[in-house]
Amino acid sequence: MCGIVGYVGSQHANGRPLDVVMGGLARLEYRGYDSAGVALVTQDAGLATAKKAGKLVNLEGLLEERPLPPATAGIGHTRWATHGAPNDVNAHPHVSADGSVAVIHNGIVENFASLRAELAADGITMTSETDTEVVAHLLGAAYAATGDLAEAMRLIARRLHGTFTLLAVARDTPDLVVGTRHDSPLVVGLGEGENFLGSDVAAFIAHTREAMELGQDQVVSITPDAVTVVDFEGATVEPRRFTVDWDAAAAEKGGFASFMDKEIHDQPHAIADTLLGRTDDAGRLVLDEVRVDEAVLRQIDKIIVIACGTAAYAGQVAKYAIEHWCRIPVEVELAHEFRYRDPVVNAKTLVVAVSQSGETMDTLMAVRHAREQGATVLAIVNTHGSTIPRESDAVLYTHAGPEVAVASTKAFLAQITAAYLLGLYLAQLRGTKFPDEIAEILQDLREIPDKVQTVIDASGHVREVARSMADATSVLFLGRHVGYPVAMEGALKLKELAYIHAEGFAAGELKHGPIALIEDGQPVFIVVPSPRGRDSLHSKVISNIQEIRARGARTLVIAEEGDTDVLPFADEVFYVPRTPVLLAPLVSVVPLQIFACELATAKGLDVDQPRNLAKSVTVE
Ligand code: M6R
């Protein structure tokens, strides 16, 4: 959950190590914001540290009050607290008892109690409540014994249980940063006369787009001119290089008041870019990244989507489309439930892991479990260089660009788009749709970015209603068919951004219990299916609206433009463009995202960094 940056370079002038580390922390702050800290190797060969509870801005204030001396290398950390309260003392870095090394950590050292006892027996007193401090003392001792920081890191990493990314600097190695990882992310950025380490590529995209993946259980050493990697046995490893296709400017606010607002506005591009280059000259879908043998994909008899949070709602939307287009049963399972229920998975199962970060620990563990059972795993992921695609059989990248706001918006739409592409690809491969039907759906998809733009351009009304509801204490969301996951996503956005109680329900479930919640003035959003859809879903949902309105609900209706049937029963209507039924979530969720963002802003809340949350949930 924490964000980690490391830097070493030959251009030491102008405080570059500190600038690079602080800039990286600013771009990684979405990973955690309980405290922040830096450690620099100073030019007179010493360690200088600064750390402060609270958001990065507090550390910036401290550095202004008490500037650090010029440095040659540095590491920085932004924390999401696990062990110990989020205060100054528990903030990282932690320095070894002999003052020789400073360490930062993302993850949990599960055997820290026994290591702590061992250190206590050696006369070392802990100053913090963290698991990380034991690592600093162990590393200091190993460094004193070996005189080699990378070797010391390798030796102690083998003793740690749990999950970790660790970075360390030593006071007498001015041009060296060492890192290691086990079940926690770390990527290398390759510069000219300088190199970088980061929890993800956002840490260094302002400086380089050339990067290297670090595998499980490896130790990396960066100097200004070299990157060396060994595994935990000490054997040299040649890591895979890749080029980041994200635009550095995409990780800046670009004039918007918040990343959340900017990312909502990015959504037409996120969808268009995810669709780009997916067909050949004959119009057939070509998913080059999906390097699973076609014979395997032809014989799968079940798909299980595993994901968490918003990504799981993207999976639920995809279920409706994939089952309809491919006639394959699709289950959607929260990743943290999946592996604990003895799921029926075998070589004919395609498991689709959906994740923006590619680092969600629950999803990663579910991927491993599925592969152990013989399933083929395909990852739908946004972040290059992350762990889930590396551990999957295949990957379909979404091209949403960096998503910085903790609450997911553009990644959600890109995930749905990628899942639709997968469904259509399977339909093409298995012959469950004719080529002209697939071409027609692809054309419908290509028209979605303009429709999303229309919703954003016409968002004045939903923003106004949101501002008027800043005092709301509970909002309900109803949807049916593909509108059901949209309702749940709308509720999740409101909970996490505005701290308002919100629940999403299947509209058909209303009379089985939730309708008891309706009382005078209770606001309820209803995602109304298209009147052109199947069966009588539209009229059934209109009946639901009448039922709750009769009991005093204030009805906030999302409906397709031209749907006048809703007017007599709606206190507010937010029209969205006409869209084919299965693709409708891509447009109908947008007013709900805008509503949550605007209402939270009206309450004066930080919409980019909501309380208690972190963007990448890298511990279970
Ligand atoms: O990085 P992932 O897509 O795997 O993250 C999954 C969830 O943690 C994430 O979608 C979370 O629910 C967001 N805060 C939702 O806005």
Side-chain angles (χ1 to χ4, degrees):
M1 324 267 277
C2 307
I4 278 186
V5 191
Y7 172 80
V8 61
S10 51
Q11 308 159 38
H12 298 139
N14 305 324
R16 185 158 172 84
L18 184 60
D19 289 350
V20 171
V21 168
M22 290 299 284
L25 289 183
R27 283 187 295 279
L28 291 185
E29 202 182 7
Y30 57 75
R31 301 180 71 95
Y33 29 86
D34 289 336
S35 65
V38 293
L40 302 179
V41 191
T42 63
Q43 279 172 352
D44 57 3
L47 286 180
T49 62
K51 51 189 193 173
K52 195 75 191 152
K55 293 191 176 175
L56 191 59
V57 67
N58 296 0
L59 176 64
E60 286 164 357
L62 178 67
L63 290 171
E64 261 173 44
E65 261 173 46
R66 295 191 351 230
L68 295 179
T72 53
I75 55 177
H77 185 267
T78 176
R79 179 171 187 238
W80 190 87
T82 57
H83 291 59
N87 57 28
D88 289 357
V89 174
N90 291 332
H92 301 207
H94 292 279
V95 177
S96 59
D98 63 1
S100 65
V101 300
V103 173
I104 55 177
H105 170 217
N106 172 25
I108 295 176
V109 177
E110 288 169 359
N111 57 335
F112 90 102
S114 61
L115 295 171
R116 200 175 174 131
E118 179 186 315
L119 288 163
D122 289 345
I124 293 175
T125 311
M126 299 289 152
T127 55
S128 77
E129 304 156 286
T130 64
D131 51 340
T132 307
E133 191 186 344
V134 301
V135 179
H137 298 312
L138 288 175
L139 187 68
Y143 185 48
T146 60
D148 180 332
L149 189 60
E151 178 63 1
M153 183 67 97
R154 187 179 77 81
L155 294 175
I156 65 132
R158 292 160 55 113
R159 299 197 57 204
L160 306 178
H161 303 164
T163 61
F164 52 85
T165 302
L166 296 163
L167 294 193
V169 284
R171 66 181 166 203
D172 57 1
T173 54
D175 288 330
L176 176 68
V177 178
V178 165
T180 190
R181 67 171 289 264
H182 174 80
D183 282 347
S184 193
L186 183 60
V187 281
V188 185
L190 305 168
E192 296 285 327
E194 57 184 359
N195 286 305
F196 310 80
L197 293 168
S199 300
D200 65 52
V201 296
F204 48 72
I205 47 168
H207 308 287
T208 181
R209 288 157 74 176
E210 295 306 310
M212 238 179 209
E213 285 180 5
L214 202 64
Q216 176 80 323
D217 296 347
Q218 295 179 351
V219 177
V220 59
S221 307
I222 60 166
T223 66
D225 303 308
V227 175
T228 316
V229 182
V230 295
D231 63 20
F232 277 8
E233 306 306 317
T236 303
V237 175
E238 201 52 57
R240 192 184 79 83
R241 290 178 70 137
F242 64 101
T243 302
V244 183
D245 63 0
W246 287 356
D247 178 0
E252 309 294 335
K253 275 190 205 156
F256 286 90
S258 63
F259 278 109
M260 170 96 192
D261 201 17
K262 175 181 182 264
E263 288 161 8
I264 288 171
H265 282 79
D266 278 349
Q267 295 188 115
H269 284 295
I271 298 169
D273 290 349
T274 300
L275 290 171
L276 210 63
R278 304 292 195 179
T279 45
D280 64 14
D281 292 345
R284 283 176 62 82
L285 263 173
V286 188
L287 299 186
D288 284 336
E289 300 145 276
V290 181
R291 293 202 187 88
V292 180
D293 191 338
E294 292 191 355
V296 173
L297 292 178
R298 275 199 194 90
Q299 54 100 51
I300 55 165
D301 60 9
K302 178 166 74 172
I303 294 175
I304 304 179
V305 180
I306 48 173
C308 300
T310 290
Y313 297 144
Q316 292 209 14
V317 170
K319 170 186 166 77
Y320 291 87
I322 296 176
E323 286 189 338
H324 181 70
W325 294 332
C326 307
R327 311 311 300 151
I328 306 172
V330 180
E331 294 171 17
V332 184
E333 179 100 26
L334 292 169
H336 35 88
E337 291 296 316
F338 174 73
R339 77 187 168 112
Y340 295 105
R341 71 162 172 92
D342 195 13
V344 181
V345 175
N346 56 40
K348 288 188 169 183
T349 311
L350 176 67
V351 167
V352 179
V354 186
S355 174
Q356 187 287 131
S357 61
E359 297 294 350
T360 299
M361 183 56 73
D362 297 305
T363 309
L364 175 62
M365 290 301 166
V367 164
R368 288 185 184 162
H369 183 76
R371 292 194 77 200
E372 279 162 19
Q373 308 301 307
T376 299
V377 177
L378 185 146
I380 294 180
V381 166
N382 194 42
T383 307
H384 284 254
S386 57
T387 309
I388 289 172
R390 195 167 47 243
E391 297 206 12
S392 299
D393 296 290
V395 57
L396 188 55
Y397 280 108
T398 52
H399 294 290
E403 192 179 64
V404 177
V406 167
S408 191
T409 53
K410 63 177 179 174
F412 179 60
L413 296 200
Q415 285 160 352
I416 295 174
T417 305
Y420 285 154
L421 287 173
L422 175 65
L424 291 172
Y425 180 70
L426 292 174
Q428 175 180 282
L429 201 69
R430 297 161 68 101
T432 50
K433 281 273 165 208
F434 291 114
D436 59 334
E437 291 175 306
I438 294 173
E440 193 180 322
I441 300 167
L442 281 172
Q443 184 50 35
D444 290 336
L445 271 172
R446 289 188 194 104
E447 289 169 15
I448 297 284
D450 281 349
K451 294 182 181 185
V452 171
Q453 190 61 50
T454 303
V455 177
I456 294 168
D457 291 345
S459 61
H461 182 205
V462 73
R463 287 178 193 276
E464 190 189 318
V465 172
R467 288 193 294 272
S468 75
M469 288 176 62
D471 293 333
T473 52
S474 166
V475 182
L476 304 180
F477 295 75
L478 298 179
R480 192 148 188 173
H481 192 249
V482 287
Y484 172 35
V486 171
M488 290 193 288
E489 172 63 3
L492 177 60
K493 288 287 90 87
L494 196 61
K495 280 181 228 184
E496 61 182 341
L497 290 176
Y499 318 151
I500 290 177
H501 169 257
E503 294 295 331
F505 298 108
E509 191 67 6
L510 199 58
K511 292 189 280 293
H512 301 282
I515 199 164
L517 291 169
I518 305 297
E519 58 187 6
D520 230 15
Q522 168 67 52
V524 185
F525 269 97
I526 307 100
V527 183
V528 177
S530 166
R532 299 167 296 111
R534 310 178 62 174
D535 310 326
S536 52
L537 272 191
H538 176 260
S539 53
K540 289 207 167 87
V541 174
I542 302 269
S543 299
N544 293 146
I545 302 176
Q546 292 176 52
E547 288 155 8
I548 56 171
R549 202 158 188 251
R551 289 162 176 80
R554 180 171 181 227
T555 55
L556 310 158
V557 173
I558 313 255
E560 188 177 279
E561 66 189 357
D563 182 354
T564 51
D565 296 347
V566 298
L567 288 174
F569 318 110
D571 291 300
E572 307 287 348
V573 186
F574 311 104
Y575 279 121
V576 294
R578 290 179 73 155
T579 306
V581 172
L582 288 169
L583 311 188
L586 290 170
V587 294
S588 56
V589 77
V590 179
L592 300 180
Q593 298 169 333
I594 293 172
F595 175 80
C597 182
E598 190 73 16
L599 194 154
T601 306
K603 286 179 77 169
L605 300 173
D606 182 341
V607 292
D608 289 337
Q609 296 175 347
R611 70 184 178 200
N612 305 337
L613 292 172
K615 187 149 185 76
S616 300
V617 183
T618 55
V619 291
E620 277 188 279

